[in-house]
C-alpha cells in the first residue's frame, strides 16, 4: 500500500512567539512561501468558521479570479437555481456563497491596488501564513518591493468570533519601511459574488444574491443587505473600519463608495511616514433572516456592530472561548509532532463547522464544512462519523444537530408515502427543506461529459440517523430526548425499512431490493444499472439493528404511559412484533468462503485486476469514472469505492455483530470476519476519505502497522489533499472527526451499550500515551491511556455513579473517583 505524501510535506509548523516551543508547533500550521497553484487548497485549509458561518482563508485584497476564491457561507443557508444543461432544465440547491466581508485593499500614492499576484519572485521579499488552531486566528505577513523600489511590510490577523458567532474581525497593518507618502485603503463588503468554486458545475447558473440595501451607517461603517433568489433569505453584513497611523486614529480623507450591483466600501487616504504602521481595524457583524429573536437581519447586524468593542477586546473573548472548547476537545498525543498537529487541525475544523454558541441553528452537518462548495454544501450520512466526536464531549450539541433531521421528518414521511412506503425516507443529500437534492447527473472529468447518478438510492442514510439518535441516548441516558425527538426518528426510520422488506414464504426470509449500499460503485446489476441491488448486507443488518432499537424505544415509551409520545407515535397493536419478525428473518447473503456478501449476486460479478488499473492510471479511487470513460461499468466487477459490508464492523463491535446475526439465524465465526475484512480490503479502491477511517479502525486489532498507515492517511486527508485536488472545494469533515475518534474511541476501545461504558484498550506501538476528556452520563472523565495503564479521573460533582467495564472487569465510578487499570 502506497503511503500518502508525508504529513505536511508542503507545509511547515513553527512555534508561535507567545508559546513555549514544543507545544506551539503542534498548534500552528504555517506556510512560508506563496504558491498560486496551491492557493485554493490553502484557502480551504485556512478557512475560519464558528458554526454559524465560515470564510475561506483567502487573501483580503483578492477576488475570485481562478487563483483565489474568497467564499463565505452561512450554516443552513441554501438557495435553488434552475439552469439549462444541454436541453434539460435542472434545479440545483446550493449552500449560498454570501457577500464577501474580507476586502481590505490598499495602494501607495495613487498607484495600482496592491496585488500579491502582480509581484515577481524578486519583489516578494518575505512571506508567511499561519493558521493558529489553538486560538482560531489566521495570520499573514509579507514584505515586498514595488516597481519604484519602495519596501512595504504588511501583516494581517483575522478571526470569526467563537464568543459571538455573528462577529468577525480583521486587523491589517501596513508599514512603509523606507518611504513616506499617501496611502489609500479601501475596506468594504462585496455582494457581487456567485457560486463558482467547483469547475464541474460550470454549466449552471450560479448567482443567488440580489442586493437589497447598500448604506453608509456612519462615517466609518457600511451595511450591505442581499436576498437569495428562491429561498428569499436576507443576509446582512455590516462593517466598521478604523484607520490609525501609529497610535492615533485618524479622521482621514474619506469617501463612501456604493455599487448598485452589490458592493459598498469606504476609502481612506492617510499620509504615511517611514517606519510608522498604518493600522486598519475592520469589525464585521452579520445576520440572516433565519436568525431568531431579532427584528430583521439588517437591524441586528447594525445594532451588533454599534455595540461591538475593539479588535483587541473581541480577540480576548474569542481566545477564551477557544480555550474552553479545547479544555473539552483537545487530544494530547505522546510523542507529539506532526500527528499531534494533524489531530489538532482536524478537531479544529470539525469544531469550527459545528460549534456555535447558539447550536440550534437548524443546519445539519455539511460533508465539506463551511469551507467550500463541493457537493453544494449538502448533508449526507457523514454525521455517523461525526456524532461520536461530539456526543462524547459536548453532548448537548447532538440533539441540536439531530433536530435538523427531526424538523425534516415531514418531508421524509411525504417522500416515503410517494414511494409507496410507510415511515420516513430520509434523502441521500439533504439541504434546506429536507427533500432529496441529490443531483441526478455526475460530471466525469475524464470524458468531460455527464453520466447518470443514482446515488439517491442510498436509502441507508436514515439508518445512520436512527443509529446516531440511539447512540446519543446510550451515552447520555437522556430520557427526554428518547421520548420525543429520539423516538420520532427511530420509529419513523424503523417503519420505513420494515415497509421496504418483502417476505418470501418459500425461504421464510425478508429481502430489501432496489437500494444502494454505502459503496457507490454498485448502483445496480450489470444488466440493470441504476435499479439498485438486492439484500445489501449493510442495509439489511443495520435495518435489523434499528428495528431492535425501535422495539427497545417502544418499551421505554410503554414504561412512561403518561407521556404523550406513546399516543403521538400511534404504535399499532402488533407493530413491534412485526418489527421483531422482520429483524429476525432479514436475508444476509454469504460468499462461498464464508465472508459476508456485499449483496445478493456480488460473488457472481467478475473479478478485476486493480493493479493493472493502478499501473495505467495511478490513483484509481474513482475507478467508476475510469471505467465509464472506457465504456465499461463498475457494476460488472467485485470492486468497491469504500467500505460497505465492513461498515458493520465499524459501527458495531464484532461481538455485537455476531450476536445480532445469531438472532437473525446466521453464524459469523471469527474466521468469517477475517475473510470479510480481507476480501473487501483487497477489492477496495479507497475512493472516499471515509475508507481510511474505517480500515484503520478494522485493522487496529488485527494488523496494527497497517492500521497506523490508514490512520496517517486519515489524518492527512486534507493536509496532504490525498485525493489530489478535492480539498480546495472544502475539507472532509467526517474523515477529520473520524481521525480524532480513531485515536480516542478506537484505541481506548470505547463502547456505550447496556448502560455501561466499555474500555478495551489497544494502542499502536508508535504512541506512548494519549490523554483526552469525555462525558458519559453526566460524568466528566479525563482519560489517560499508556501502553501499560488506563487511568480514569472523574470530576467532582453530583453526577450519579456510572458502570465501567475495562477488559471485562466491571467497576462503579463515582464523581471525584480516580481509577487506574493495569493493562
Ligand atoms: C462518499 C459518501 C459520502 C460523500 C460525502 C462520497 O464520496 O462516497 O459516502 O457521504 O462523499 O462525504
Amino acid at each position: 500500500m502506497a503511503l500518502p505524501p508525508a504529513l505536511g510535506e508542503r507545509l511547515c509548523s513553527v512555534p508561535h512567539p507567545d508559546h513555549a516551543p514544543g507545544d506551539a508547533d503542534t498548534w500552528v500550521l504555517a506556510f512560508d512561501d506563496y504558491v498560486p497553484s496551491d492557493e485554493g487548497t490553502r484557502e480551504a485549509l485556512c478557512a475560519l468558521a464558528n458554526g454559524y458561518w465560515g470564510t475561506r482563508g483567502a487573501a483580503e485584497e483578492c477576488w475570485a479570479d481562478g487563483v483565489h476564491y474568497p467564499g463565505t457561507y452561512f450554516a443552513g443557508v441554501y438557495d435553488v437555481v434552475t439552469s439549462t444543461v444541454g436541453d434539460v432544465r435542472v434545479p440545483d440547491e446550493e449552500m449560498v456563497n454570501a457577500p464577501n466581508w474580507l476586502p481590505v485593499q490598499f495602494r501607495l500614492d495613487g498607484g495600482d491596488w496592491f496585488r500579491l499576484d502582480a509581484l515577481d519572485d524578486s519583489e516578494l521579499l518575505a512571506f508567511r501564513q499561519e493558521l493558529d488552531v489553538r486560538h482560531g486566528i489566521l495570520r499573514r505577513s509579507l514584505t515586498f518591493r514595488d516597481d519604484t523600489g519602495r519596501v512595504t511590510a504588511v501583516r494581517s490577523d483575522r478571526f470569526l468570533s467563537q464568543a459571538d458567532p455573528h462577529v468577525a474581525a480583521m486587523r491589517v497593518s501596513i508599514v512603509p519601511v523606507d518611504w513616506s507618502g499617501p496611502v489609500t485603503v479601501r475596506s468594504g463588503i462585496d455582494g457581487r459574488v456567485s457560486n463558482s468554486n467547483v469547475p464541474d458545475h460550470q454549466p449552471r447558473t450560479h448567482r443567488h444574491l440580489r442586493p437589497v440595501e447598500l448604506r453608509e451607517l456612519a462615517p466609518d461603517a457600511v451595511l450591505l443587505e442581499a436576498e437569495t433568489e428562491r429561498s428569499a433569505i436576507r443576509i446582512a453584513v455590516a462593517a466598521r473600519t478604523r484607520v490609525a497611523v501609529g497610535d492615533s486614529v485618524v479622521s482621514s480623507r474619506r469617501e463612501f463608495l456604493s455599487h448598485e450591483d452589490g458592493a459598498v466600501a469606504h476609502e481612506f487616504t492617510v499620509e504615511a511616514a517611514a517606519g510608522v504602521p498604518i493600522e486598519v481595524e475592520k469589525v464585521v457583524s452579520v445576520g440572516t433572516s433565519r436568525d431568531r429573536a431579532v427584528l430583521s437581519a439588517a437591524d441586528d447586524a447594525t445594532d451588533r456592530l454599534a455595540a461591538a468593542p475593539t479588535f483587541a477586546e473581541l480577540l480576548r473573548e474569542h481566545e477564551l472561548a477557544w480555550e474552553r472548547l479545547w479544555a473539552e476537545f483537545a487530544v494530547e498525543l505522546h510523542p507529539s509532532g506532526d500527528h499531534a498537529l494533524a489531530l489538532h487541525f482536524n478537531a479544529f475544523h470539525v469544531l469550527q463547522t459545528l460549534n456555535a454558541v447558539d447550536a440550534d441553528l437548524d443546519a445539519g452537518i455539511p460533508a465539506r464544512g463551511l469551507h467550500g462548495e463541493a457537493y453544494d454544501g449538502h448533508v449526507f450520512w457523514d454525521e455517523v462519523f461525526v456524532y461520536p466526536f461530539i456526543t462524547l464531549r459536548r453532548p448537548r450539541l447532538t440533539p441540536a444537530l439531530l433536530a435538523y433531521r427531526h424538523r425534516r421528518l415531514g418531508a421524509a414521511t411525504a417522500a416515503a408515502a410517494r414511494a409507496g412506503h410507510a415511515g420516513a425516507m430520509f434523502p441521500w443529500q439533504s439541504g434546506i427543506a429536507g427533500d432529496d437534492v441529490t443531483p441526478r447527473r455526475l460530471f466525469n472529468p475524464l470524458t468531460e461529459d455527464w453520466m447518470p447518478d443514482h446515488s439517491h438510492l442510498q436509502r441507508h442514510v436514515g439508518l445512520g440517523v436512527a443509529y446516531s439518535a440511539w447512540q446519543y441516548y446510550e451515552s447520555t441516558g437522556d430520557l427526554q430526548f428518547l421520548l420525543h425527538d429520539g423516538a420520532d426518528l427511530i420509529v419513523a426510520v424503523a417503519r420505513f425499512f420494515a415497509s421496504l422488506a418483502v417476505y418470501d414464504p418459500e425461504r421464510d426470509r425478508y429481502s430489501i431490493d432496489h437500494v444502494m449500499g454505502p459503496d457507490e460503485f454498485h448502483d445496480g446489476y450489470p444488466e440493470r444499472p441504476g435499479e439498485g441491488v438486492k439484500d445489501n448486507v449493510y442495509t439489511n443488518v443495520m435495518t435489523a439493528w434499528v428495528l431492535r432499537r425501535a422495539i427497545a424505544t417502544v418499551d421505554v415509551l410503554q414504561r412512561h404511559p403518561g407521556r404523550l409520545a406513546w399516543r403521538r407515535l400511534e404504535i399499532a397493536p402488533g407493530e413491534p412484533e412485526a418489527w421483531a419478525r422482520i429483524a429476525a428473518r432479514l436475508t444476509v447473503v454469504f460468499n462461498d468462503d464464508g465472508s459476508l456478501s456485499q449483496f445478493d449476486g456480488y460473488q457472481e460479478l467478475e473479478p478485476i485486476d486493480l493493479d493493472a488499473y493502478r499501473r495505467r492510471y495511478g490513483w484509481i479511487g474513482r475507478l467508476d469514472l475510469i471505467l465509464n470513460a472506457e465504456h465499461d461499468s463498475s457494476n460488472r466487477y467485485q470492486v468497491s469505492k469504500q467500505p460497505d459490508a465492513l461498515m458493520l464492523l465499524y459501527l458495531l463491535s464484532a461481538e455485537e455483530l455476531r450476536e445480532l446475526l445469531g438472532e437473525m439465524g446466521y453464524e459469523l465465526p471469527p474466521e468469517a470476519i477475517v475473510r470479510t475484512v480481507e476480501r473487501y480490503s483487497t477489492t477496495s479502491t479507497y475512493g472516499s476519505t471515509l475508507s481510511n477511517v474505517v480500515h484503520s479502525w478494522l485493522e487496529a486489532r488485527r494488523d496494527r502497522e497497517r492500521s497506523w498507515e490508514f490512520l496517517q492517511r486519515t489524518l492527512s486527508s486534507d493536509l496532504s489533499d490525498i485525493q489530489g485536488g478535492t480539498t480546495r472545494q472544502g475539507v472532509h469533515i467526517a474523515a477529520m472527526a473520524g481521525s480524532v475518534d480513531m485515536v480516542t474511541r478506537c484505541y481506548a476501545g470505547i463502547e456505550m451499550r447496556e448502560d455501561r461504558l466499555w474500555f478495551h484498550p489497544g494502542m499502536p506501538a508508535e504512541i506512548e500515551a494519549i490523554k483526552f476528556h469525555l462525558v458519559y452520563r453526566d460524568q466528566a472523565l479525563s482519560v489517560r491511556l499508556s501502553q501499560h495503564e488506563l487511568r480514569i479521573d472523574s470530576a467532582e460533582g453530583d453526577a450519579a455513579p456510572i458502570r465501567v467495564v475495562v477488559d471485562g472487569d466491571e467497576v462503579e465510578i463515582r464523581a471525584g473517583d480516580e481509577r487506574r487499570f493495569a493493562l
Side-chain angles (χ1 to χ4, degrees):
M1 182 171 64
L3 269 176
L7 255 189
E9 199 175 73
R10 296 207 314 269
L11 48 93
C12 62
S13 62
V14 285
H16 179 267
D18 299 345
H19 298 118
D23 172 36
D25 49 5
T26 67
W27 291 96
V28 178
L29 176 71
F31 306 88
D32 51 17
D33 54 357
Y34 171 66
V35 184
S37 56
D38 277 357
E39 195 55 14
T41 307
R42 279 192 203 172
E43 287 175 352
L45 296 178
C46 293
L48 295 175
N50 58 25
Y52 176 73
W53 62 317
T55 295
R56 289 165 64 86
E60 48 273 8
E61 72 278 355
C62 73
W63 55 90
D65 60 1
V67 172
H68 308 277
Y69 191 78
T72 284
Y73 311 96
F74 285 76
V77 172
Y78 295 89
D79 188 42
V80 178
V81 282
T82 304
S83 16
T84 306
V85 181
D87 47 9
V88 191
R89 298 281 290 159
V90 188
D92 285 295
E93 182 167 322
E94 301 179 328
M95 181 168 76
V96 173
N97 182 16
N100 178 19
W101 66 277
L102 295 176
V104 173
Q105 295 160 296
F106 67 90
R107 63 174 167 193
L108 317 180
D109 206 2
D112 291 339
W113 295 101
F114 168 74
R115 276 182 60 234
L116 191 49
D117 301 282
L119 302 174
D120 65 34
D121 286 352
S122 66
E123 291 169 324
L124 184 59
L125 307 178
F127 179 90
R128 186 166 184 83
Q129 187 175 342
E130 290 181 1
L131 176 72
D132 173 346
V133 303
R134 172 167 269 173
H135 302 99
I137 302 169
L138 180 63
R139 305 188 184 93
R140 186 184 69 163
S141 55
L142 59 95
T143 307
F144 68 96
R145 180 183 293 115
D146 62 26
D147 50 11
T148 65
R150 292 171 295 197
V151 175
T152 308
V154 188
R155 178 192 157 115
S156 69
D157 296 59
R158 74 168 84 136
F159 60 92
L160 265 74
S161 176
Q162 276 291 347
D164 179 352
H166 293 253
V167 170
M170 185 193 309
R171 188 170 54 197
V172 181
S173 166
I174 305 160
V175 186
V177 175
D178 58 358
W179 55 273
S180 300
V183 173
T184 303
V185 174
R186 183 189 282 171
S187 166
I189 308 161
D190 191 355
R192 298 165 300 183
V193 294
S194 61
N195 275 54
S196 47
N197 182 221
V198 180
D200 293 356
H201 295 171
Q202 276 318 328
R204 294 185 190 169
T205 310
H206 313 282
R207 189 89 204 243
H208 292 283
L209 294 176
R210 195 169 49 75
V212 174
E213 191 177 6
L214 310 163
R215 189 148 52 101
E216 184 175 39
L217 294 173
D220 60 1
V222 292
L223 170 80
L224 183 149
E225 189 177 22
E227 189 173 88
T228 59
E229 283 293 339
R230 244 320 258 300
S231 53
I233 300 173
R234 293 260 174 122
I235 303 174
V237 185
R240 179 183 76 206
T241 307
R242 289 185 179 152
V243 181
V245 177
D247 290 334
S248 46
V249 174
V250 288
S251 49
S252 49
R253 261 195 293 134
R254 186 186 53 78
E255 205 183 329
F256 171 64
L257 306 169
S258 163
H259 291 277
E260 265 173 36
D261 53 346
V264 277
H266 269 131
E267 240 177 60
F268 306 83
T269 303
V270 295
E271 278 307 312
V276 181
I278 299 163
E279 304 280 5
V280 182
E281 179 178 304
K282 183 172 186 179
V283 173
V284 170
S285 64
V286 291
T288 81
S289 52
R290 296 184 90 227
D291 298 341
R292 276 162 296 177
V294 296
L295 177 62
S296 76
D299 283 290
D300 185 50
T302 307
D303 294 348
R304 224 177 260 273
L305 188 70
T310 60
F311 177 93
E313 282 166 88
L314 288 167
L315 179 62
R316 223 175 356 260
E317 289 299 312
H318 167 72
E319 290 192 336
L320 273 177
W322 267 110
E323 207 174 286
R324 284 194 289 272
L325 269 176
W326 284 124
E328 292 164 72
F329 285 92
V331 175
E332 277 177 42
L333 263 195
H334 299 283
S336 53
D338 279 349
H339 298 111
L341 171 65
L343 264 185
H344 291 150
F345 173 82
N346 288 356
F348 172 75
H349 281 297
V350 180
L351 285 173
Q352 288 209 110
T353 303
L354 302 179
N355 184 59
V357 174
D358 167 16
D360 195 6
L361 286 171
D362 191 31
I365 301 180
R368 306 296 282 275
L370 300 169
H371 296 59
E373 292 162 20
Y375 293 133
D376 295 327
H378 292 169
V379 176
F380 295 65
W381 72 318
D382 300 44
E383 62 203 62
V384 163
F385 294 81
V386 181
Y387 278 126
F389 171 89
I390 299 166
T391 303
L392 280 170
R393 292 174 183 84
R394 194 170 264 203
R396 71 188 164 82
L397 281 182
T398 300
L401 287 163
L402 279 170
Y404 167 82
R405 296 294 191 178
H406 190 259
R407 288 195 192 93
R408 285 154 185 79
L409 263 175
T413 307
R418 275 197 304 274
H421 295 294
M425 179 168 90
F426 281 105
W428 173 238
Q429 294 189 29
S430 184
I432 198 163
D435 50 334
D436 187 355
V437 290
T438 313
R440 293 299 194 265
R441 287 140 65 100
L442 172 70
F443 187 75
N444 186 346
L446 299 174
T447 56
E448 296 198 345
D449 205 353
W450 297 85
M451 54 193 269
D453 183 344
H454 296 105
S455 54
H456 65 278
L457 293 174
Q458 289 185 72
R459 308 290 182 220
H460 66 83
V461 61
L463 297 168
V465 173
Y467 173 86
S468 301
W470 180 266
Q471 292 297 86
Y472 165 77
Y473 170 65
E474 264 289 355
S475 107
T476 58
D478 183 347
L479 183 66
Q480 284 308 312
F481 170 79
L482 191 70
L483 290 177
H484 298 98
D485 286 16
D488 292 350
L489 289 168
I490 293 168
V491 168
V493 170
R495 279 179 169 151
F496 171 66
F497 283 89
S499 81
L500 275 189
V502 175
Y503 185 63
D504 172 1
E506 244 170 65
R507 291 188 300 124
D508 184 26
R509 283 274 173 199
Y510 288 85
S511 281
I512 294 179
D513 202 350
H514 305 298
V515 297
M516 274 174 79
D519 168 30
E520 300 189 323
F521 280 2
H522 295 276
D523 69 2
Y525 292 96
E527 63 286 3
R528 279 176 283 124
E531 291 184 21
V533 296
K534 186 173 177 189
D535 288 326
N536 166 250
V537 68
Y538 173 79
T539 305
N540 286 14
V541 175
M542 286 313 291
T543 295
W545 190 93
V546 167
L547 289 172
R548 285 178 188 282
R549 294 309 167 279
I551 296 167
T553 303
V554 169
D555 193 44
V556 177
L557 299 186
Q558 266 170 336
R559 281 186 271 128
H560 296 83
R563 309 289 171 99
L564 283 175
W566 178 244
R567 262 186 280 155
R568 193 184 66 240
L569 287 167
E570 294 176 347
I571 308 287
E575 201 177 1
E577 289 73 16
W579 296 340
R581 234 179 3 259
I582 297 170
R585 301 303 299 163
L586 262 167
T587 304
V588 173
V589 182
F590 290 83
N591 298 312
D592 292 343
D593 63 1
S595 59
L596 293 168
S597 177
Q598 193 169 302
F599 50 81
D600 187 15
Y602 182 84
Q603 74 170 356
E604 277 81 58
L605 299 179
E606 287 178 39
I608 187 166
D609 180 0
L610 292 182
D611 285 335
Y613 283 88
R614 282 195 188 98
R615 282 193 296 276
R616 272 163 59 204
Y617 292 94
W619 190 70
I620 56 160
R622 294 307 305 268
L623 188 65
D624 55 334
L625 303 181
I626 293 174
L627 291 170
N628 171 266
E630 293 185 346
H631 308 290
D632 200 346
S633 160
S634 48
N635 280 331
R636 287 182 53 211
Y637 302 103
Q638 293 188 38
V639 60
S640 49
K641 175 183 176 190
Q642 66 197 91
D644 190 305
L646 296 183
M647 272 306 292
L648 295 170
L649 287 158
Y650 178 72
L651 296 183
L652 312 174
S653 68
E655 296 76 54
E656 202 181 356
L657 178 60
R658 194 171 296 129
E659 222 176 280
L660 184 60
L661 284 171
E663 283 158 358
M664 297 168 78
Y666 297 107
E667 266 179 56
L668 189 70
E671 57 281 11
I673 294 189
V674 173
R675 286 209 194 102
T676 305
V677 176
E678 271 165 7
R679 180 171 198 126
Y680 296 102
S681 301
T682 48
T683 52
S684 177
T685 67
Y686 304 96
S688 158
T689 54
L690 303 176
S691 311
N692 299 318
V693 182
V694 178
H695 281 276
S696 177
W697 195 284
L698 296 183
E699 299 290 359
R701 282 164 213 273
R702 237 169 59 97
D703 181 341
R704 292 194 185 178
E705 218 172 283
R706 220 169 129 71
S707 167
W708 182 248
E709 283 179 21
F710 279 117
L711 176 66
Q712 296 198 62
R713 287 178 180 221
T714 304
L715 282 168
S716 56
S717 296
D718 289 299
L719 273 175
S720 299
D721 192 11
I722 62 167
Q723 289 187 331
T726 58
T727 295
R728 60 179 57 230
Q729 296 154 9
V731 295
H732 299 77
I733 292 296
M736 288 181 145
S739 71
V740 183
D741 198 33
M742 177 73 210
V743 171
T744 51
R745 206 159 54 97
C746 179
Y747 290 162
I750 294 174
E751 271 185 89
M752 292 92 59
R753 60 183 161 91
E754 297 155 26
D755 293 320
R756 285 163 185 77
L757 179 63
W758 305 67
F759 287 89
H760 178 39
M763 271 204 308
E766 287 79 358
I767 301 180
E768 282 165 27
I770 308 172
K771 190 178 156 201
F772 58 94
H773 301 276
L774 58 88
V775 176
Y776 175 75
R777 306 255 165 138
D778 288 334
Q779 279 207 27
L781 307 174
S782 146
V783 178
R784 278 166 239 230
L785 182 63
S786 70
Q787 296 285 353
H788 313 289
E789 188 186 74
L790 169 70
R791 179 174 157 186
I792 304 175
D793 292 284
S794 172
E796 298 278 353
D798 294 337
I802 54 171
R803 310 293 309 168
V804 173
V805 187
V806 179
D807 277 340
D809 293 334
E810 183 163 336
V811 296
E812 182 181 87
I813 294 189
R814 298 176 165 275
D817 279 358
E818 180 210 304
R819 291 298 184 99
R820 291 165 188 262
F821 305 88
L823 302 174

